[in-house]
Amino acid sequence: MFTIPTDCRYTKTHEWVRLDDDGAFTIGITDHAQELLGDVVFVELPNVDAELRAGDEAGVIESVKAASDLYAPLAGQIIAVNELLDEQPDLINQDAYGGGWIFRMKALSPDDWQDLLDASDYQQLISGED
Amino acid sequence: MLIFQRSVEGRVALGQWVDGDLDLSDLPEAGLRQTKAVLPEVSELQVVRHYTGLSQRNFGIDTHFYPLGSCTMKYNPRGVHEMAMQPQWLSRHPLSAVDDHQSFLKILFELQQYLSDITGMPGVSLTPMAGSQGEFVGVAMIKAYHDANNDTERTEMIVPTAAHGTNPASAVMCGYTVKEIPTGSDGNIDVDQLREMVGPKTAGIMLTNPSTLGIFSRRIKDVSAIIHEAGGLLYYDGANLNAILGKVRPGDMGFDVMHLNLHKTFATPHGGGGPGAGPVAVADRLKPYLPIPTVVFENEKYRWTTKNDSPDSIGRLSCFMGNAAILLRAYLYIRLLGRKGLTRVADFATLNANYIMKRLQQAGFECAFPDRRASHEFVISFKKEKKQWGVSAMDIAKRLLDYGCHAPTTYFPLSIPECFLIEPTETESKQELDHFIDALIKIRGESETDPELVKTSPHTCVVKRLDDVKAVRELNLTWKPTIND
Amino acid sequence: MPFIPHTNEELKQMLTDMGETHVAALFDEIPADLLNDRLEAIPEGVSEMRLKRLLTEQLADEKMPLCFIGAGAYEHHIPSAVWQVASRGEFLTAYTPYQAEASQGTLQLLYEYQTMMASLMGMDVSNASLYEGASALAEAILMAVRVHKGQRKRVIIPRSLHPYYWDTVKTIVSEQKIECVPCDFDPQAGVTDLGALSQLSDENLAAVVIPQPNFFGCLEPVDEMTDWAHQKNALAIACVNPMAMALLKEPGQWGSADGEIDREANTRLEIGADIACGEGQPLGVPLNSGGPYFGFLTCRQKFVRQMPGRLIGQTTDLDGCVGYTLTLQAREQHIRRSKATSNICTNQGLLVTAATIYMSLMGPVGLRQVAGVSHTQTKKLVDRLIEIDGVERVFDRPFFHECVLRLPRDVDEVLRGMSLDGIQAGLSLKDYFPELGDCLLVCVTETKTDQDLDVFVDGFCRWLG
């Protein structure tokens, strides 16, 4: 069984999105996604200050035998990236929702967050995948 | 042990020492090398023993059954290799005057004709050096054709999701956007969806038939009609030609351009990952764009073509004539088998694949497309085994090594979970096939009773299971005297 | 026919096990109107014995002339051990080492090759090879564009580069809208005109290609060109003859030796080319009418993720023992598909096997000796030829084992005459550089004795006279 925290919202492409106290969002990939990928060996992070539309490519996550694109869940600007991942990409495997966060962004219209999948929708999505 | 660890400073393989006093007086001091390259200092015997030893740490067709799907690992005739290693061939400089080159050019000219007949396409260029380069060339010719017709709005190349990874990569190298089309549950591409997908932006489609799923697409003529009506062209990926050699010609199916993998269908040695050769064949309308050089026969002489002969050619792909001696080997193989022998290739390649598939089905394995004929290869999935016993396709692949079989292709096509793509080829005997079938049945038994045994395999190879995560995270691509010694 | 092992009994048994009566039934999913087994252009098959006989007869008329042509493919001696060991079935008939545990021989050999080639070039890393030299240069250029994230798409390429390399590069990179800007050579010096180079725009410049030696055999001003590239924040791509690098300064050391300060940027310029590539054929690979050869590609560590082709890494197994495996595969087409660094999937494993054995047999000192003797013999020949009336060197810069000479008579006529004496005297430059229509490119390697040079000079005197 995969962990799916209820305080996050989710995308169909398996990113989680958390609304932080400062109004910005933190993004990573879900426990389910990291399990599918296997041992993560490299993360290509987006550039800080980059302005992205929802659905734009924001980076790449590589395991030994797969490479998976990372997409911006919301339109907005990148304000921080998790530079620890350069040296320790396996943080994504160990702590997908915590130390394995990938980037933070400021959304153009923060309300869009509400339209993403909630935990139960996401649960349904991945149970239908099998 | 690495060859560098056998090195002793000052040792020289004296039998290979070239006598002669050096006169380097004209070379500027500042332009000379100051450092000593990390090459080993070893004797000739040490070299021979070291690399003979390394060879013994390999599986090859000469040592093991090697059913690597999509790679056509058939017997590489020894006689062909020996004939191709004659000094008259080996010593020929590529820029020799054509008068000094006639017998080799004649062979290439005839090979062009043979491949034209086999593919059902009038134009052939032998110069691409691998299947992937053939693909690049094919797509570049499609682009040149559209450009010549001022048809520059065509920016999309359609590629099935199950295609070889080289297909989309080649399309992108030519500046196209890739549109993926999924496979239906019967293994065919969805013709209705294709109809909706095509339009004024369609440059063409890249297809393998039989597909990478080991299935012949029955509606291929519908597919070609849809693409042609939309103004696009059809590219045939010749990776699976062994399945239809002398049976069906891609030109007759409606394809406009294709590549052949001579190292697969025509049994040239794979050499640990190359060299291959990926000649292209084309319909009339693409002939002006064929890459140079090709060989023509004029005034009782064979010669290379140049840009002057074909000003619209997409150009040159290598400095000289691609992998020339591989072309020679393919020619010799065709001469050995001859017309009748070639048509029997597809018969027996298909027989062997269907035999294994049927026997495995009877033993309870799950085939990806149980209701379809296999072509020269087929897909089985270990999804069930993975779920029940936690044993993955990779674990089973590794355990097969312990049974003296090289593993089939694993995890390809990507669309089928926990899969093997199995291609036995026509040169394997019933005994080999039975041994392989028995091994898989035994391994499945082991997966149930002792899954750890399978998960930690192989146990009899020169190394145990290797850590490929470490190989990426702690990247070590070259030996360094200070660190490793 | 010869390689299908089934007996009729086995065939019957197999069909029975499958519940079939005929092989033809296995093709019943193919529309009948597509089936066609004529193959009219293909002759009937012959046995190995017959085919050998046919070939022997055909080859009996083939002369084996003394070869003084270079121009990108060089006849060096290949020790017998090279191809006897490389032709072992375990090397010859293996495929790409996907199953690492069953491919340690090939993998370790490739790791040793990567080490040797990177070191010969003075670079950090090498891939496991590409097809051949010209397409390797094209891949190096694509790589340089990726390093600049596709933002810079102009590349400066000297006209002194092999014309067929030029053609190949244009074919491969122009599909991606990369602009190849030529830079002229100094007609006296035979090397890139630094004045002309400095006049070229550096806008959107991704890389500068630096051949060494160039097509004419001349030694380019590699230090100045490397520095210029780095001043413009472009990559320096070395395209070199690996044999020459046993003797000449390796690409990793190119650039101003004392770390000249770039005044504009006020930083120290980096030493060394960023990518070094070229044709590996001189290292144990026969001429063979042009292939198969192998291309090599080496670079600085920081660009390794942008490299195309296979890479082999060292790792350990479950017991902690050292082993080798394909690594950084997520760059490649079978995983990245349309986003891969390249569509390349094969390398030239067999040729690399030969080259690795060759480099081991020669060692650092032996390889330098081969390069040195080749050069010495060329110099001897050139010194004697320019004493003949009307024969002169065209360029005044130092050369390495290949040189351009101007002849007082039609070059093609002289070549035809020499050919009657069993000598391929070099390459006529007429078809390559119209302004050098009366010139010959001549090359000598260590395989030519002083007596061979005598024969050459005698013939030359006669056919010029």
Side-chain angles (χ1 to χ4, degrees):
Chain A
M1 209 54 223
F2 301 107
T3 321
I4 306 178
T6 51
D7 63 336
C8 295
R9 295 278 165 154
Y10 299 88
T11 66
K12 284 181 181 161
T13 46
H14 308 288
E15 288 90 7
W16 56 260
V17 190
R18 185 179 284 130
L19 173 58
D20 296 325
D21 294 341
D22 61 357
F25 296 91
T26 301
I27 290 106
I29 64 165
T30 65
D31 191 28
H32 173 67
Q34 69 79 22
E35 176 75 22
L36 279 181
L37 271 170
D39 295 304
V40 174
V41 292
F42 179 72
V43 184
E44 192 182 305
L45 297 164
N47 293 332
V48 174
D49 294 339
E51 289 181 14
L52 301 175
R53 293 164 303 181
D56 279 358
E57 281 171 26
V60 182
I61 302 166
E62 288 182 11
S63 65
V64 174
K65 296 203 158 58
S68 176
D69 289 320
L70 182 70
Y71 299 98
L74 302 165
Q77 190 173 33
I78 307 286
I79 55 170
V81 296
N82 186 358
E83 279 164 9
L84 280 180
L85 294 175
D86 283 340
E87 293 300 317
Q88 293 170 267
D90 50 325
L91 283 172
I92 290 180
N93 298 115
Q94 289 161 12
D95 189 8
Y97 298 100
W101 68 277
I102 299 173
F103 62 92
R104 299 189 72 227
M105 71 190 301
K106 206 183 277 173
L108 279 178
S109 36
D111 289 348
D112 289 352
W113 182 70
Q114 300 290 347
D115 299 335
L116 297 174
L117 305 175
D118 66 17
S120 73
D121 293 339
Y122 184 68
Q123 172 67 54
Q124 217 164 9
L125 176 85
I126 62 175
S127 55
E129 266 186 4
D130 191 35
Chain B
M1 192 185 230
L2 291 161
I3 188 81
F4 310 109
Q5 292 159 326
R6 301 183 194 277
S7 175
V8 172
E9 192 167 355
R11 185 180 287 149
V12 172
L14 283 173
Q16 303 307 336
W17 182 257
V18 178
D19 284 326
D21 296 328
L22 302 191
D23 175 4
L24 307 177
S25 55
D26 57 329
L27 298 175
E29 187 68 30
L32 295 180
R33 186 175 185 117
Q34 307 295 332
T35 65
K36 192 161 157 187
V38 181
L39 303 183
E41 297 175 72
V42 284
S43 73
E44 183 160 335
L45 173 58
Q46 283 181 303
V47 172
V48 170
R49 199 174 279 160
H50 178 78
Y51 289 106
T52 302
L54 284 192
S55 77
Q56 291 167 332
R57 294 163 74 85
N58 258 8
F59 281 32
I61 303 170
D62 281 6
T63 59
H64 293 82
F65 180 47
Y66 212 127
L68 203 59
S70 181
C71 298
T72 314
M73 300 296 281
K74 62 168 86 175
Y75 174 58
N76 307 150
R78 281 277 159 181
V80 168
H81 183 60
E82 188 185 295
M83 285 183 259
M85 293 294 274
Q86 298 301 310
Q88 289 96 329
W89 303 126
L90 299 182
S91 64
R92 188 70 62 223
H93 193 285
L95 299 176
S96 294
V98 289
D99 286 336
D100 289 337
H101 227 133
Q102 287 297 299
S103 67
F104 188 71
L105 289 172
K106 176 171 185 277
I107 282 175
L108 294 188
F109 184 77
E110 288 175 3
L111 182 61
Q112 287 172 181
Q113 292 178 316
Y114 297 170
L115 298 185
S116 171
D117 189 29
I118 287 166
T119 58
M121 295 190 183
V124 171
S125 169
L126 301 172
T127 177
M129 291 170 286
S132 53
Q133 207 186 33
E135 287 179 26
F136 166 78
V137 169
V139 177
M141 284 190 280
I142 290 176
K143 195 165 164 219
Y145 172 81
H146 289 314
D147 286 350
N149 292 332
N150 284 323
D151 208 353
T152 50
E153 300 300 302
R154 299 189 180 275
T155 53
E156 294 174 356
M157 186 59 70
I158 302 173
V159 179
T161 48
H164 296 118
T166 47
N167 289 180
S170 301
V172 167
M173 278 190 86
C174 291
Y176 282 118
T177 310
V178 171
K179 278 191 100 177
E180 292 207 312
I181 181 161
T183 308
S185 57
D186 61 351
N188 289 331
I189 63 166
D190 186 329
V191 173
D192 295 327
Q193 193 170 349
L194 180 67
R195 202 170 273 124
E196 280 167 32
M197 201 181 245
V198 298
K201 284 187 164 180
T202 303
I205 190 169
M206 300 179 80
L207 280 181
T208 311
N209 194 24
S211 72
T212 55
L213 304 166
I215 284 170
F216 192 90
S217 183
R218 284 175 284 206
R219 297 183 66 186
I220 186 62
K221 285 199 148 172
D222 295 337
V223 171
S224 82
I226 291 169
I227 297 291
H228 282 149
E229 274 161 29
L233 299 183
L234 286 90
Y235 183 88
Y236 182 87
D237 175 339
N240 292 345
L241 191 67
N242 215 46
I244 58 165
L245 187 61
K247 294 271 171 206
V248 183
R249 308 194 306 173
D252 297 340
M253 288 191 252
F255 286 93
D256 301 284
V257 46
M258 69 175 289
H259 79 265
L260 301 96
N261 299 89
L262 300 188
H263 49 291
K264 298 179 183 177
T265 319
F266 301 97
T268 70
H270 286 65
V280 286
V282 295
D284 273 319
R285 58 176 148 188
L286 291 179
K287 264 166 102 173
Y289 312 108
L290 280 170
I292 50 170
T294 58
V295 179
V296 290
F297 185 59
E298 272 174 8
N299 307 322
E300 302 303 307
K301 253 186 207 170
Y302 298 93
R303 67 169 179 86
W304 306 109
T305 57
T306 66
K307 199 89 185 169
N308 296 335
D309 297 294
S310 40
D312 293 328
S313 162
I314 61 154
R316 191 173 272 280
L317 300 167
S318 64
C319 190
F320 304 112
M321 181 49 201
N323 287 336
I326 299 302
L327 303 171
L328 169 63
R329 284 173 171 80
Y331 170 86
L332 296 170
Y333 177 80
I334 291 173
R335 291 294 306 270
L336 277 180
L337 266 68
R339 181 187 299 165
K340 283 208 198 75
L342 286 180
T343 59
R344 284 167 61 100
V345 165
D347 282 338
F348 284 82
T350 304
L351 172 76
N352 279 358
N354 278 281
Y355 175 73
I356 301 181
M357 182 172 87
K358 212 45 171 234
R359 290 274 321 269
L360 289 178
Q361 269 177 311
Q362 288 161 358
F365 287 89
E366 193 178 316
C367 289
F369 302 98
D371 303 330
R372 301 292 307 266
R373 295 279 190 201
S375 61
H376 66 311
E377 63 186 356
F378 65 96
V379 183
I380 61 173
S381 168
F382 298 101
K383 199 173 157 189
K384 222 169 48 184
E385 286 79 359
K386 168 97 183 188
K387 203 161 187 177
Q388 273 182 320
W389 306 313
V391 172
S392 68
M394 188 54 82
D395 296 329
I396 294 171
K398 298 295 184 198
R399 184 63 179 149
L400 269 171
L401 305 177
D402 287 333
Y403 282 92
C405 299
H406 191 279
T409 298
T410 50
Y411 299 103
F412 181 84
L414 303 172
S415 53
I416 298 174
E418 298 297 327
C419 71
F420 274 4
L421 181 62
I422 301 174
E423 181 182 6
T425 83
E426 74 280 7
T427 59
E428 297 295 338
S429 67
K430 179 171 180 294
Q431 286 94 320
E432 286 292 347
L433 308 183
D434 288 340
H435 172 72
F436 175 72
I437 293 161
D438 292 345
L440 271 180
I441 292 170
K442 277 193 198 133
I443 293 169
R444 204 168 57 148
E446 292 169 353
S447 303
E448 185 174 7
T449 56
D450 188 1
E452 274 312 299
L453 177 73
V454 182
K455 281 156 84 169
T456 54
S457 63
H459 301 283
T460 58
C461 289
V462 293
V463 288
K464 294 280 186 70
R465 183 93 57 110
L466 288 161
D467 185 346
D468 45 12
V469 174
K470 179 177 172 180
V472 186
R473 288 193 183 150
E474 301 167 28
L475 201 60
N476 172 348
L477 303 173
T478 55
W479 178 80
K480 292 171 196 71
T482 44
I483 298 172
N484 303 56
D485 228 5
Chain C
M1 207 135 39
F3 308 111
I4 293 168
H6 305 62
T7 64
N8 282 337
E9 273 313 304
E10 284 174 325
L11 173 59
K12 258 185 237 157
Q13 184 63 50
M14 289 170 78
L15 288 169
T16 309
D17 289 351
M18 296 158 65
E20 303 289 347
T21 50
H22 291 96
V23 173
L26 302 175
F27 294 90
D28 60 9
E29 292 192 1
I30 301 180
D33 60 329
L34 285 176
L35 289 171
N36 165 355
D37 57 0
R38 288 194 301 272
L39 293 182
E40 283 152 357
I42 315 270
E44 293 296 347
V46 292
S47 66
E48 180 183 308
M49 182 176 76
R50 287 287 305 282
L51 188 58
K52 274 189 177 163
R53 177 79 181 269
L54 286 170
L55 269 186
T56 308
E57 284 165 11
Q58 193 176 338
L59 286 175
D61 302 333
E62 285 279 309
K63 288 171 289 188
M64 285 175 62
L66 272 183
C67 178
F68 289 85
I69 313 175
Y74 301 95
E75 183 187 40
H76 291 288
H77 172 66
I78 302 174
S80 301
V82 170
W83 281 93
Q84 282 192 15
V85 177
S87 295
R88 285 184 63 90
E90 302 92 326
F91 284 135
L92 193 67
T93 70
Y95 199 28
T96 305
Y98 293 120
Q99 294 295 336
E101 295 83 358
S103 315
Q104 284 300 295
T106 291
L107 286 163
Q108 183 180 326
L109 182 142
L110 291 173
Y111 178 83
E112 293 178 356
Y113 161 80
Q114 289 176 179
T115 302
M116 292 182 201
M117 193 51 90
S119 168
L120 192 57
M121 294 299 133
M123 306 300 281
D124 300 321
V125 292
S126 164
N127 76 1
S129 79
L130 297 168
Y131 303 133
E132 51 80 67
S135 49
L137 176 59
E139 288 288 347
I141 289 168
L142 295 177
M143 184 178 157
V145 170
R146 285 195 295 275
V147 166
H148 292 292
K149 302 204 157 149
Q151 304 297 308
R152 295 165 164 233
K153 298 190 94 166
R154 276 175 72 254
V155 184
I156 292 176
I157 307 178
R159 271 190 78 225
S160 58
L161 178 76
H162 196 306
Y164 285 169
Y165 276 52
W166 251 106
D167 291 349
T168 305
V169 164
K170 274 194 283 186
T171 307
I172 295 173
V173 311
S174 61
E175 298 292 349
Q176 297 185 34
K177 305 225 163 27
I178 293 166
E179 188 192 349
C180 300
V181 182
C183 181
D184 237 319
F185 57 88
D186 179 322
Q188 260 82 51
V191 298
T192 300
D193 181 341
L194 292 173
L197 178 65
S198 65
Q199 296 300 306
L200 292 174
S201 159
D202 60 355
E203 203 188 332
N204 286 326
L205 187 63
V208 178
V209 172
I210 310 171
Q212 181 77 328
N214 66 25
F215 179 64
F216 308 124
C218 294
L219 302 189
E220 290 279 349
V222 294
D223 294 329
E224 289 82 354
M225 292 173 78
T226 303
D227 284 348
W228 189 84
H230 286 160
Q231 274 159 11
K232 309 295 181 189
N233 288 318
L235 300 196
I237 300 176
C239 181
V240 303
N241 176 344
M243 181 61 78
M245 294 305 116
L247 192 62
L248 303 177
K249 185 157 78 172
E250 66 275 29
Q253 296 298 322
W254 291 0
S256 42
D258 51 356
E260 182 187 312
I261 307 284
D262 175 0
R263 286 177 216 295
E264 278 171 54
N266 200 22
T267 52
R268 211 166 276 273
L269 289 175
E270 278 189 277
I271 292 288
D274 301 284
I275 303 173
C277 64
E279 174 55 68
Q281 178 275 331
L283 304 172
V285 177
L287 292 172
N288 236 336
S289 292
Y293 296 168
F294 74 95
F296 60 88
L297 185 68
T298 64
C299 71
R300 294 164 181 268
Q301 184 77 39
K302 63 181 173 186
F303 301 132
V304 66
R305 286 194 159 270
Q306 300 307 331
M307 264 195 154
R310 306 290 194 210
L311 287 166
I312 313 305
Q314 195 183 65
T315 185
T316 49
D317 72 1
L318 283 175
D319 293 344
C321 297
V322 169
Y324 303 88
T325 185
L326 289 169
T327 193
L328 288 185
Q329 291 190 75
R331 298 163 299 120
E332 295 188 66
Q333 49 77 26
H334 61 288
I335 292 176
R336 280 306 255 282
R337 301 177 73 82
S338 62
K339 287 181 186 147
T341 52
S342 164
N343 70 342
I344 284 199
C345 64
T346 51
N347 55 51
Q348 300 282 98
L350 187 62
L351 294 315
V352 168
T353 303
T356 306
I357 297 169
Y358 178 81
M359 287 192 277
S360 300
L361 281 169
M362 303 325 284
V365 185
L367 198 65
R368 184 178 183 278
Q369 179 73 5
V370 172
V373 172
S374 298
H375 180 66
T376 303
Q377 293 299 86
T378 309
K379 192 162 170 289
K380 270 189 210 166
L381 180 66
V382 169
D383 287 347
R384 290 177 64 182
L385 293 178
I386 55 178
E387 281 175 15
I388 302 171
D389 228 10
V391 178
E392 58 180 24
R393 274 191 66 194
V394 177
F395 303 122
D396 61 17
R397 280 303 157 91
F399 59 85
F400 172 72
H401 106 54
E402 196 161 15
C403 185
V404 180
L405 298 174
R406 181 166 283 125
L407 306 190
R409 272 193 67 176
D410 183 77
V411 177
D412 290 336
E413 267 178 47
V414 176
L415 287 179
R416 270 196 296 275
M418 293 290 279
S419 162
L420 296 175
D421 294 347
I423 296 171
Q424 294 179 327
L427 187 72
S428 164
L429 293 185
K430 193 182 298 174
D431 294 339
Y432 303 88
F433 292 90
E435 68 268 43
L436 301 174
D438 53 354
C439 296
L440 177 74
L441 181 64
V442 64
C443 167
V444 190
T445 65
E446 85 286 6
T447 57
K448 302 297 179 290
T449 63
D450 290 347
Q451 289 73 31
D452 293 334
L453 303 188
D454 292 341
V455 173
F456 189 110
V457 174
D458 282 353
F460 223 59
C461 289
R462 252 182 303 118
W463 293 107
L464 281 176

